Amino acid sequence: MKKALLCAACLLASPALAENASGFYLGGDISSFDVEFTGAPVEGDGNAFGAHFGYRYALSDATFVEGEAFAAKLNGDTNTGNTDFDAYYGLTAGFGAYFTDQAYALVFGGLARSKTDNVFVGSQTGRGHVLGLGIGYDFKENQSIALRFSRATFDGAVGDVDNDVIGVRYSYRF
């Protein structure tokens, strides 16, 4: 009983962890991606290590909007071995809402670019758009982890290229 009372007292005395505050944030992420080319029987996959930087604006205690720049180094290729995936970067805007004091959901969209290297045509840059969603958890007042899924679609020489990304990220708000 003494341990339970001590634990309860510690919890009540500790400051609230989450605060939907406006401010800048930065962080890193680890992702896995899967690529499909709609105009050819070609697929690809790999992993990515990236960074992100943005600004979150609190609309209320429970809702926020944010703008973000991201970049990732890709490590992957196609099933034909003709194309290596090099980089993925862009700008997004999102809307989020807290459904508990520390857990939130987010939807986002924006512009993206990708860099590939093909043995036949050389280095190429694809332009497109990205749409996604995520869930996150503020484990400290200014630190969070999140799981995010996004789909980027790029216009390619042989048709559209769809890039599905799922990743885990850490963010530090300041």
Side-chain angles (χ1 to χ4, degrees):
M1 181 69 172
K2 288 181 184 179
K3 287 182 183 178
L5 288 174
L6 180 61
C7 289
C10 288
L11 287 173
L12 292 173
S14 66
L17 290 177
E19 180 180 322
N20 188 22
S22 298
F24 289 98
Y25 63 90
L26 64 92
D29 45 273
I30 300 170
S31 304
S32 176
F33 66 89
D34 182 57
V35 178
E36 290 185 13
F37 295 77
T38 58
V42 179
E43 299 178 344
D45 60 6
N47 54 47
F49 300 94
H52 56 273
F53 176 79
Y55 185 83
R56 177 183 286 185
Y57 180 76
L59 298 172
S60 70
D61 288 341
T63 59
F64 60 89
V65 292
E66 64 183 29
E68 179 177 295
F70 67 90
K73 172 66 178 139
L74 305 179
N75 180 23
D77 60 11
T78 60
N79 57 348
T80 61
N82 296 333
T83 302
D84 290 330
F85 303 110
D86 295 329
Y88 174 59
Y89 52 96
L91 300 170
T92 61
F95 173 80
Y98 280 86
F99 51 92
T100 72
D101 286 345
Q102 295 163 285
Y104 61 90
L106 172 74
V107 294
F108 58 92
L111 303 174
R113 296 185 86 171
S114 67
K115 285 191 161 198
T116 60
D117 189 25
N118 183 282
V119 295
F120 300 114
V121 294
S123 181
Q124 292 184 315
T125 300
R127 294 182 179 106
H129 62 275
V130 60
L131 296 172
L133 55 96
I135 56 171
Y137 184 78
D138 295 337
F139 63 93
K140 290 198 176 187
E141 185 176 325
N142 60 347
Q143 298 179 56
S144 65
I145 57 172
L147 176 66
R148 292 170 52 125
F149 171 80
S150 64
R151 169 168 275 194
T153 301
F154 302 98
D155 294 331
V158 295
D160 288 343
V161 179
D162 293 327
N163 181 18
D164 293 332
V165 179
I166 188 162
V168 176
R169 65 171 28 197
Y170 164 83
S171 297
Y172 180 84
R173 292 187 299 274
F174 52 95

